């Protein structure tokens, strides 16, 4: 039994013949595709830092980059499941815009007539209405796809046009503002960040969670007699994860409030203003925390729940999945309903950040969401994809956009670059899968 528990990654002639690098990756079980994407991200960051004269890799830009990535990152977690089942959703940008407008009208025009302008329940009611609206829209589209057998491309392409038109009809094209003060916390900014102390608390908590997960995984492998990683690999992964987490927290705490906001805060709280000024760190932004929580939940759904196994089974072979007893139609409906809810969460963050609901919200977000999922390793042929890879793909996409803006690249050229990156990503995915066979 003891021999069965021994790791296959550190013994046997195959390992002895492999190169040290191959043995390292086999022992740590690091996804080489994900590692390659991280390498590409580092190259993009360093390149833009040089091109922009040192503006890109600053705490301010990295903090803003993390906040700007959240919308696409949240929606791409749902897009992974949709693409895995060999479907597509071209309507997520329009659904985001409609849900954002519904939430804007709810808190700015409807609720004040019943519960007043400063009610503590405004943001709760608004968010619930937005989530319900997004879920119903997604479920409606899923029903058409699953039970009327209309291709998802056509249904969601129609949804792109219908929901964008509905967004305009809600207010006849008018922008709705301002938003509830508590609701705005979800958008980031000085009010929407948790400060230095709580950021360190969250960072340390995240490190403990990673360590506990590694220990739990090792115990589970031992319990079922599965091969285990070498102890040194477990220590390496735990150390690397904690260094990255605490490094990110340190960067977030290195970005300080603007002087005017800091002065106003000092006056409100009767804090003496020193001659050297008052440095108040932003810390981790609330929308970033929301995106991380969504990513963890979606990863749990995709890898731990029966629903997630059904999704990947359908993507691998829809006919076999149906013959196995999986209710493929209802799984499809649930996937699109979940996608609608995620679009509503992204809409809440976007509306809160803008402090307004506009008709242009979410424009072209469907393309960036799909691109992020594909760049993150989700195969358009279905059956393959990871939540972590898709969220990293969203960061790559936003890094390209942010870097090109800082480099003063014309908007048309930005579109050319993003489109080219998407085509290259799909081509690399095709080559990778062809060699894997």
């Amino acid at each position: 039994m003891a021999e069965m528990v021994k790791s296959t990654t550190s013994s046997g002639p195959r390992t002895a013949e492999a190169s040290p690098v191959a043995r390292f990756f086999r022992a740590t079980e690091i996804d080489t595709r994900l590692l390659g994407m991280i390498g590409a991200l580092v190259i993009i960051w360093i390149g833009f830092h040089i091109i922009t004269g040192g503006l890109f890799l600053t705490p301010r830009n990295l903090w803003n980059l993390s906040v700007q990535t959240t919308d696409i990152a949240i929606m791409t977690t749902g897009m992974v499941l949709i693409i895995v089942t060999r479907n597509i959703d071209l309507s997520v940008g329009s659904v985001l815009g409609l849900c954002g407008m519904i939430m804007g009208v709810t808190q700015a025009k409807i609720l004040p007539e019943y519960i007043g302008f400063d009610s503590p329940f405004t943001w709760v009611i608004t968010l619930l209405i937005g989530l319900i609206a997004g879920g119903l829209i997604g479920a409606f589209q899923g029903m058409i796809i699953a039970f009327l057998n209309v291709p998802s491309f056509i249904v969601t392409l129609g949804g792109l046009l219908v929901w964008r038109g509905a967004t305009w009809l809600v207010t006849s094209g008018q922008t709705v503002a301002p938003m509830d003060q508590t609701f705005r916390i979800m958008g980031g900014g000085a009010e929407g960040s948790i400060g230095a102390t709580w950021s360190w608390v969250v960072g340390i908590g995240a490190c403990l969670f990673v360590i506990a997960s590694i220990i739990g995984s090792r115990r589970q492998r031992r319990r079922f007699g599965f091969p285990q990683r070498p102890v040194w690999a477990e220590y390496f992964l735990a150390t690397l994860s904690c260094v990255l987490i605490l490094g990110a927290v340190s960067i977030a705490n290195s970005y300080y409030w603007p002087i005017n906001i800091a002065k106003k805060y000092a006056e409100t709280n009767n804090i003496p203003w020193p001659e050297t000024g008052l440095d108040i760190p932003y810390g981790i932004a609330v929308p970033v925390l929301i995106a991380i929580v969504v990513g963890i939940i979606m990863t749990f759904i995709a890898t731990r729940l029966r629903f997630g196994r059904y999704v990947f089974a359908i993507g691998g072979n829809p006919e076999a999945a149906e013959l196995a007893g999986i209710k493929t139609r209802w799984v499809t409906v649930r996937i699109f309903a979940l996608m609608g809810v995620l679009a509503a969460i992204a809409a809440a963050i976007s509306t809160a950040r803008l402090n307004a609901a506009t008709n242009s919200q979410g424009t072209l977000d469907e393309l960036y969401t799909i691109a992020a999922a594909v760049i993150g390793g989700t195969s358009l042929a279905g059956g393959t994809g990871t939540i972590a890879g898709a969220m990293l793909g969203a960061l790559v996409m936003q890094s390209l956009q942010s870097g090109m803006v800082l480099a003063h690249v014309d908007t048309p050229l930005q579109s050319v670059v993003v489109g080219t990156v998407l085509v290259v990503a799909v081509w690399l995915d095709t080559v990778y899968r062809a060699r894997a066979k």
Side-chain angles (χ1 to χ4, degrees):
M1 181 66 184
E3 293 179 357
M4 293 177 62
V5 177
K6 289 182 180 180
S7 173
T8 59
T9 60
S10 58
S11 61
R14 180 183 175 185
T15 304
E17 296 174 359
S19 66
V21 175
R23 291 200 301 270
F24 171 80
F25 284 123
R26 191 176 300 130
T28 56
E29 299 179 359
I30 295 176
D31 187 346
T32 53
R33 291 193 66 185
L34 196 64
L35 187 63
M37 198 184 313
I38 294 174
L41 183 64
V42 171
I43 293 173
I44 291 172
W45 283 9
I46 294 175
F48 277 126
H49 190 68
I50 296 172
I51 293 172
T52 59
L55 295 177
F56 192 88
L57 292 178
T58 59
R60 175 181 179 179
N61 187 62
L62 292 177
W63 192 92
N64 288 327
L65 177 64
S66 68
V67 174
Q68 293 164 0
T69 304
T70 54
D71 303 353
I72 302 300
I74 288 172
M75 290 194 293
T76 198
T77 61
M79 189 63 71
V80 169
L81 301 186
I82 288 178
I83 296 178
V84 161
T85 56
R86 307 185 184 186
N87 288 299
I88 202 72
D89 192 343
L90 300 176
S91 67
V92 290
S94 297
V95 174
L96 183 153
L98 178 57
C99 291
M101 186 60 72
I102 290 173
M103 286 188 280
V105 171
T106 298
Q107 62 185 300
K109 296 186 176 182
I110 298 176
L111 290 182
E113 297 182 4
Y114 299 96
I115 60 177
F117 284 96
D118 299 322
S119 173
F121 300 104
T122 297
W123 74 274
V124 177
I125 297 174
T126 298
L127 187 58
L128 284 176
I129 290 175
L131 294 178
I132 292 171
L136 290 176
I137 291 171
F140 175 70
Q141 295 187 143
M143 294 282 284
I144 296 175
I145 295 166
F147 292 97
L148 299 184
N149 295 320
V150 181
S152 60
F153 180 89
I154 299 301
V155 173
T156 57
L157 178 59
L160 182 152
L161 302 174
V162 170
W163 309 129
R164 182 61 63 189
T167 303
W168 189 92
L169 291 174
V170 171
T171 59
S172 298
Q174 297 178 357
T175 296
V176 179
M179 300 294 103
D180 176 73
Q181 184 175 0
T182 306
F183 183 83
R184 290 202 302 267
I185 292 176
M186 290 186 289
E191 298 176 347
S193 53
I194 62 176
T197 302
W198 279 108
S199 294
W200 285 119
V201 170
V202 169
I204 293 172
C207 290
L208 294 176
F209 175 78
V210 169
I211 294 172
S213 298
I214 292 175
I215 294 174
S217 175
R218 190 172 184 83
R219 287 177 177 174
Q220 286 290 93
R221 291 187 178 203
R222 183 185 298 115
R223 176 185 175 187
F224 293 103
F226 291 159
Q228 297 185 54
R229 288 188 292 251
V231 176
W232 67 264
E234 306 281 22
Y235 279 113
F236 172 80
L237 292 174
T239 302
L240 178 63
S241 299
C242 291
V243 168
L244 292 176
I245 290 170
L246 297 179
V249 172
S250 177
I251 292 173
N253 288 338
S254 299
Y255 179 37
Y256 302 109
W257 290 9
I259 295 178
N260 294 335
I261 297 178
K263 281 185 176 180
K264 186 177 180 180
Y265 175 82
E267 292 173 359
T268 304
N269 294 274
N270 297 319
I271 300 175
W273 184 261
E275 295 182 359
T276 56
L278 192 63
D279 293 333
I280 304 177
Y282 274 89
I284 303 174
V286 171
V288 175
L289 290 177
I290 295 174
I292 292 173
V293 171
V294 169
I296 293 173
I297 293 174
M298 291 297 293
T299 300
F300 180 80
I301 290 173
T303 59
R304 299 289 183 176
L305 296 186
R306 184 182 302 174
F307 172 75
R309 293 195 292 272
Y310 286 171
V311 168
F312 282 89
I314 293 171
N317 192 324
E319 293 78 13
E322 191 164 2
L323 291 174
I326 297 175
K327 297 179 180 179
T328 56
R329 293 183 176 182
W330 283 111
V331 172
T332 300
V333 172
R334 290 169 186 166
I335 292 171
F336 278 89
L338 180 59
M339 184 71 253
V341 171
L342 293 171
I345 296 174
I349 293 174
S350 175
T351 305
R353 185 168 67 244
L354 295 173
N355 193 23
T358 67
N359 288 277
S360 61
Q361 273 182 266
T363 302
L364 294 181
D365 276 7
E366 57 277 345
L367 301 183
Y368 292 117
T369 302
I370 294 170
V374 173
I375 290 173
T378 305
S379 174
L380 291 173
T384 305
T386 63
I387 303 299
M391 297 186 77
L392 187 58
L395 182 58
V396 170
M397 292 294 296
Q398 188 58 49
S399 297
L400 286 172
Q401 286 186 286
S402 177
M404 287 187 290
V405 169
L406 288 177
H408 304 292
V409 176
D410 294 336
T411 302
L413 186 56
Q414 293 182 28
S415 300
V416 171
V417 172
V418 172
T420 303
V421 169
L422 176 58
V423 173
V424 171
V426 174
W427 172 69
L428 290 175
D429 177 74
T430 304
V431 172
Y432 177 84
R433 297 189 189 285
R435 291 183 177 179
K437 292 180 181 180

